[in-house]
Amino acid sequence: QVALVESGGGLVQPGGSLRLSCAASGSIFSINVMGWYRQAPGKQRELVAAITSGGSTNYADSVKGRFTISRDNAENTVFLQMNSVKPEDTAVYYCNANVRISATKWYSNYWGQGTQVTVSS
């Protein structure tokens, strides 16, 4: 089994910063892509940012230049540095990882439980 545990969410004022962390644990042989998604009330879940094991990144247009994704491959951890946050960034943020649990198994997708980020004055 694989578990993803997020931390770092909370209330932040517009223009402020927040750093999310997500640690993967369990039976892990390798992790390909790790990423962050978010879901606001009444909206579909959307990709925020993703990063490969080699460090290639992909961002939603709405967060480019404000958010930075990074990862620590040795610790199976992914981070999301959120700067210049806006009220429209308010959502539940979910960690996602593409994990291979053994050399004989192919990659499967795993999700964290989500962490609330609220941007408000």
Side-chain angles (χ1 to χ4, degrees), residues 72-111:
D72 183 335
N73 290 330
E75 298 295 329
N76 293 326
T77 302
V78 64
F79 308 95
L80 185 68
Q81 179 66 42
M82 305 167 62
N83 297 332
S84 303
V85 295
K86 304 175 181 179
E88 50 263 44
D89 294 322
T90 296
V92 178
Y93 283 70
Y94 296 91
C95 176
N96 175 270
N98 209 227
V99 180
R100 195 173 182 181
I101 62 173
S102 75
T104 59
K105 300 287 186 182
W106 196 235
Y107 290 96
S108 296
N109 218 24
Y110 293 87
W111 292 92

Side-chain angles (χ1 to χ4, degrees), residues 22-44:
C22 170
S25 63
S27 180
I28 297 173
F29 178 74
S30 67
I31 302 179
N32 185 2
V33 181
M34 301 187 81
W36 291 95
Y37 288 71
R38 67 186 181 187
Q39 188 167 19
K43 294 188 176 182
Q44 289 188 333

